Amino acid sequence: MSQINIIIVDDEPFAREKLRTLLANESDTSIIGEYDNGWDAIDGIIEKRPDLVFLDISMPGMSGMDVVHKIGVENLSQFVFVTAHNEFAPEAFELNALDYLLKPFDYNRLQKTLRRFHQQQQASRYLDLDFQVNQLLTSIQPKKTNYLERLMIKSGNDIFFVKTADIDWIEAAGNYVYLHIGTKTRLLRDTMNNLATKLDPKKFVRIHRSQIVNIERIKKMQPSSHGEYLVIMGDNTELLLTRTYRENLLGLFEMAN
């Protein structure tokens, strides 16, 4: 059984200590971060990418709910709300929380949460829908192009279908990629190298080791330094076209004087 990397977020030191003590009884858990406020928690979660987050709801300045909204449910690992108040339960499960631990809880109740985590992980391994359906979508594309026109994004219990034409740009994140679509960001389980082979190279161009852009979304380009360019997207996002990938983009256009 693989190790579960866990982050604990709670403004009460005693609450963090109790959860840490209970988790110490589980040989397959590893606490990789503890935070006493929402802002630090956001930075830690984004940087460390834990498998499971225990998140207090009632914290000064920024609540646990706010943390989830700031990061985005689709970009967050499994999370459990921990609170002394039961009135937040409906909203917690609307956010697809794995569980809702009501303080004070005991070791048996925590074990139930961990069993639920393992069950979902096992189900994900046996029914990896996003990978299977995207493979199917690849296979049924018209033979004249063989490039993806749709992607499937699985977020909690929801499944979203995204037209590739709607994607502004793509950002690498290890074995995942972030799809930037207007004001939204979706997380897809695929590598940058693999996804690049599925997209039409006349529409999607790699400009950086970790970035692909939809050329229809480029507003303008500005010379930067050392032969590099700033690529200004339609929403004014600035991306860097590096020398390594310069010809990928500039080669598609005839430069006017």
Side-chain angles (χ1 to χ4, degrees), residues 9 71-72 135 140-141 160-161 180 185 204 218 239 243 257:
V9 185
I71 297 177
Q135 289 295 98
I140 63 176
Q141 293 301 312
F160 300 90
F161 286 89
H180 295 272
T185 302
F204 289 90
I218 298 175
L239 305 175
R243 292 177 62 186
N257 294 327

Side-chain angles (χ1 to χ4, degrees), residues 9-11 35-38 55-64 67:
V9 185
D10 199 308
D11 64 307
Y35 303 96
D36 61 4
N37 67 86
L55 186 58
D56 184 27
I57 290 183
S58 301
M59 295 185 293
M62 177 181 290
S63 72
V67 170

Side-chain angles (χ1 to χ4, degrees), residues 12-41:
E12 298 178 357
F14 174 77
R16 297 197 304 274
E17 180 182 0
K18 177 183 176 180
L19 188 50
R20 189 189 322 121
T21 301
L22 292 178
L23 287 169
N25 296 310
E26 301 294 321
S27 60
D28 63 340
T29 62
S30 174
I31 299 173
I32 60 173
E34 291 187 26
Y35 303 96
D36 61 4
N37 67 86
W39 290 111
D40 288 343

Side-chain angles (χ1 to χ4, degrees), residues 32-137:
I32 60 173
E34 291 187 26
Y35 303 96
D36 61 4
N37 67 86
W39 290 111
D40 288 343
I42 290 173
D43 292 339
I45 291 169
I46 292 174
E47 176 187 353
K48 298 180 179 180
R49 298 185 181 277
D51 302 309
L52 182 60
V53 179
F54 287 89
L55 186 58
D56 184 27
I57 290 183
S58 301
M59 295 185 293
M62 177 181 290
S63 72
M65 298 284 187
D66 293 333
V67 170
V68 174
H69 286 297
K70 289 284 185 183
I71 297 177
V73 173
E74 65 274 15
N75 300 327
L76 189 63
S77 54
Q78 294 279 22
F79 59 97
V80 175
F81 282 122
V82 184
T83 181
H85 309 282
N86 60 12
E87 65 266 25
F88 300 112
E91 183 178 354
F93 289 111
E94 285 181 5
L95 290 173
N96 291 319
L98 175 70
D99 207 345
Y100 189 89
L101 285 178
L102 194 61
K103 299 178 182 178
F105 56 88
D106 58 16
Y107 181 51
N108 288 334
R109 180 63 182 85
L110 177 62
Q111 283 187 311
K112 182 178 179 181
T113 297
L114 294 176
R115 283 196 299 270
R116 182 174 294 178
F117 173 83
H118 284 302
Q119 288 167 356
Q120 289 209 4
Q121 292 298 103
Q122 186 177 29
S124 177
R125 284 192 292 270
Y126 285 107
L127 191 59
D128 197 350
L129 288 176
D130 57 344
F131 178 76
Q132 293 178 17
V133 174
N134 280 324
Q135 289 295 98
L136 176 62
L137 291 174

